[in-house]
Amino acid sequence: MAEISSPSLTGVRISATLAILLAALLLPLSFTGGVVTTPAISHALHGGPLSLAWLTNGFMLTFGSGLLAAGVAADKLRYKRVFIAGLALFSLSSLLIALTDSTFTLGIYRALQGIAAALTLAGGATALAHLYSGPARTRAFSLLGTLFGVGLAFGPLLMGVITDAFSWRWVYALLSTLAAIVGLVGQFSVVSAPATHSPPADIRGTALFSLALLALTTTLILLPQYGVSSSAAIVGIVVTLLAGWRFIRHTQRIAHPVFSLSLLRQPHFAGVLLLPVATCYCYVVLLIVIPLFLMGARHVSETQSAIILLSLTAPMLLFPSVAAGLTRWFDAGKISVAGLLLATLGLFGMGYAITLNELTLLAFSMVITGAGAALPWGLMDGLAVSAVSVDRAGMAAGLFNTVRVAGEGIALAIVMAMLALLNRFGLQQRLPDVDVVTRDNAAVWLSGSHIHQAQELLPQISASLLRLNVQHAYQILLYGLAAITFGCANAVGILLKQPVKRE
């Protein structure tokens, strides 16, 4: 792409870039805002444990499962239309959340917000790729990733202060206003490139893949409430397997699938795909469960919880740059493995700190975990595109980003299900004679650290014992996350030693 030299055109490009970067900043703010505002929403609107969990799960479900389809739409349609439509829907859904008085409808609006986030990110990333070329494009996308890290780092603090000082409704009113402003700027500054000839979009493959992800994540979300043997879980599993099987068959029959599964047969690329999976379990899910634990089991305010969470998120602002600098002397794959091993150590420390009920040790361990997760975070994208031939780089990047975003929703659903299961086992040992349904419902409440609601179902047990039950569940969970991260580190180390096949 030729460089733009006209001052007026350069100003337009700067405005367009600013709109895209600010739009990207809205997404982590919305992601963390759903977590920080959950206790306040629970207090104001009540609702069941599933509807409250949906405040985060609903957003991640539609965001992750819709990103691939949004990317296809941005490529084949005018990416400006996709970008502006995403911001408009984001603004509308955020406004509806701020005005609603029902946790059920709030969950629906959060799901709409996730769709809007997918459209915004896909359209904005495609627009950014058309605005710049060469090293300038690399710098632009690096800045995009940095702003994502800023949003994740300081989003909880900003949302916590607003919730404490005003109300949870003001959080979503602010998001709605910002999205509307950014959308207006984008409408006048982002210019769609002329349509180019390209292979037809794989609409069927995109739909099958999105359906499989949607069904899988929904099933995992419903498991804590309804159980494995429920009709909802069985239907979800059947739909997931059927859609996944049809997708595999479909990709083998057409010339230009949305992405080729042959990429997964390359050990080096498969190792790269494990990196975002690992960071889901050693970083992303902690952004959700740690604030819930602090606000629910430790009774700290939204603002205090966000300040403690900075121990985990602040390293993400520094250590990706450290990792990039270390590549002058060390292999990027080895740096990534070292980061995952460091995160494993931090997760073990977090589990031990929760056992001792020691916040200082917990915060220190969170720093180690965040630093470890940040080392591969800044290297993963480059590793993904360098692991395949140039003509397959776009497909590899699309598959990598889909695994990263969809994996976050799946990981969160798995972790919440594990917390419910661990709390269920703990309550079964403490209260073996209590009605099973009541005990299981209390366990679901405890999975979100809702001590008060669980005690209303189990008045015969003290709040301190329920908190102890939650602490024990978190201890086991963190040790389990450490084991997953350690396993991923070893697998990544083995797979990245395999030669790159640029076929």
Side-chain angles (χ1 to χ4, degrees):
M1 178 179 174
E3 293 295 329
I4 301 175
S5 57
S6 167
S8 61
L9 292 179
T10 301
V12 169
R13 183 168 63 172
I14 292 174
S15 299
T17 304
L18 182 62
I20 294 166
L21 295 177
L22 288 177
L25 185 60
L26 288 174
L27 306 187
L29 291 179
S30 177
F31 174 61
T32 55
V35 185
V36 174
T37 58
T38 295
I41 292 173
S42 172
H43 179 74
L45 303 182
H46 306 292
L50 184 60
S51 62
L52 292 174
W54 197 258
L55 300 181
T56 301
N57 288 329
F59 178 87
M60 292 304 301
L61 171 68
T62 52
F63 184 29
S65 59
L67 186 60
L68 182 62
V72 171
D75 284 336
K76 300 303 177 182
L77 304 175
R78 297 278 183 175
Y79 53 78
K80 176 180 177 178
R81 294 176 182 174
V82 173
F83 178 64
I84 299 301
L87 285 169
L89 183 58
F90 192 95
S91 179
L92 176 61
S93 58
S94 299
L95 179 61
L96 291 172
I97 291 171
L99 297 176
T100 190
D101 288 317
S102 164
T103 54
F104 176 77
T105 55
L106 196 154
I108 294 175
Y109 299 148
R110 279 288 284 173
L112 284 176
Q113 201 177 43
I115 296 173
L119 293 171
T120 301
L121 180 59
T126 306
L128 200 63
H130 282 81
L131 280 169
Y132 297 95
S133 61
R137 180 183 294 173
T138 302
R139 290 193 297 270
F141 275 91
S142 175
L143 184 56
L144 186 73
T146 300
L147 281 179
F148 247 91
V150 170
L152 289 175
F154 297 103
L157 182 58
L158 174 63
M159 300 307 173
V161 169
I162 294 174
T163 303
D164 278 344
F166 302 101
S167 164
W168 64 269
R169 297 183 187 275
W170 282 97
V171 168
Y172 296 99
L174 175 64
L175 290 174
S176 176
T177 304
L178 291 176
I181 294 172
V182 173
L184 286 174
V185 175
Q187 178 64 37
F188 292 106
S189 60
V190 177
V191 180
S192 288
T196 58
H197 176 72
S198 61
D202 182 14
I203 303 298
R204 185 177 181 183
T206 302
L208 287 171
F209 185 82
S210 299
L211 177 61
L213 277 180
L214 186 68
L216 173 61
T217 311
T218 303
T219 302
L220 292 171
I221 291 172
L222 295 177
L223 280 181
Q225 184 76 27
Y226 297 104
V228 179
S229 60
S230 66
S231 57
I234 293 173
V235 170
I237 293 170
V238 170
V239 172
T240 301
L241 294 175
L242 183 59
W245 175 73
R246 293 297 299 271
F247 173 75
I248 293 172
R249 294 290 302 273
H250 172 75
T251 58
Q252 295 170 342
R253 292 176 177 176
I254 67 170
H256 301 286
V258 64
F259 56 78
S260 175
L261 295 179
S262 64
L263 289 171
L264 301 178
R265 293 197 292 268
Q266 300 183 27
H268 192 92
F269 184 72
V272 174
L273 285 184
L274 274 180
L275 288 173
V277 173
T279 54
C280 284
Y281 290 96
C282 70
Y283 182 73
V284 177
V285 296
L286 299 179
L287 300 176
I288 307 298
V289 298
I290 294 300
L292 290 176
F293 172 78
L294 293 172
M295 291 184 289
R298 293 301 303 265
H299 296 297
V300 304
S301 69
E302 286 85 352
T303 302
Q304 291 172 322
S305 170
I307 291 173
I308 296 172
L309 192 64
L310 282 174
S311 303
L312 178 69
T313 58
M316 194 59 71
L317 302 178
L318 172 64
F319 280 85
S321 299
V322 172
L326 289 174
T327 56
R328 298 177 182 178
W329 303 283
F330 302 100
D331 178 73
K334 293 180 179 178
I335 295 171
S336 299
V337 171
L340 294 181
L341 293 176
L342 183 63
T344 300
L345 180 64
L347 286 166
F348 270 112
M350 291 175 65
Y352 184 65
I354 283 181
T355 304
L356 298 179
N357 205 21
E358 178 55 58
L359 277 181
T360 302
L361 180 59
L362 177 64
F364 177 74
S365 300
M366 287 165 65
V367 171
I368 296 174
T369 304
L375 288 177
W377 191 275
L379 304 175
M380 294 188 294
D381 295 87
L383 284 170
V385 296
S386 64
V388 297
S389 58
V390 174
D391 61 316
R392 308 186 83 185
M395 181 182 292
L399 177 56
F400 175 82
N401 287 322
T402 300
V403 169
R404 174 158 57 185
V405 177
E408 291 171 359
I410 293 172
L412 177 59
I414 290 175
V415 164
M416 297 307 293
M418 286 302 301
L419 280 174
L421 182 62
L422 291 170
N423 277 289
R424 185 175 300 168
F425 285 156
L427 291 178
Q428 186 176 359
Q429 293 178 344
R430 298 177 189 278
L431 303 168
D433 300 325
V434 173
D435 175 65
V436 174
V437 175
T438 302
R439 192 172 60 204
D440 289 351
N441 287 336
V444 175
W445 278 115
L446 291 179
S447 67
S449 298
H450 298 290
I451 307 295
H452 176 71
Q453 290 88 337
Q455 193 175 25
E456 287 182 345
L457 293 175
L458 302 172
Q460 64 271 50
I461 187 171
S462 66
S464 60
L465 283 178
L466 290 176
R467 280 193 291 272
L468 188 62
N469 201 82
V470 171
Q471 286 182 202
H472 184 64
Y474 265 82
Q475 177 194 11
I476 297 175
L477 173 70
L478 288 166
Y479 289 157
L481 295 178
I484 292 173
T485 305
F486 182 74
C488 287
N490 282 278
V492 168
I494 293 171
L495 291 171
L496 291 188
K497 289 180 180 178
Q498 304 301 313
V500 176
K501 297 181 181 179
R502 303 185 186 278
E503 54 190 32

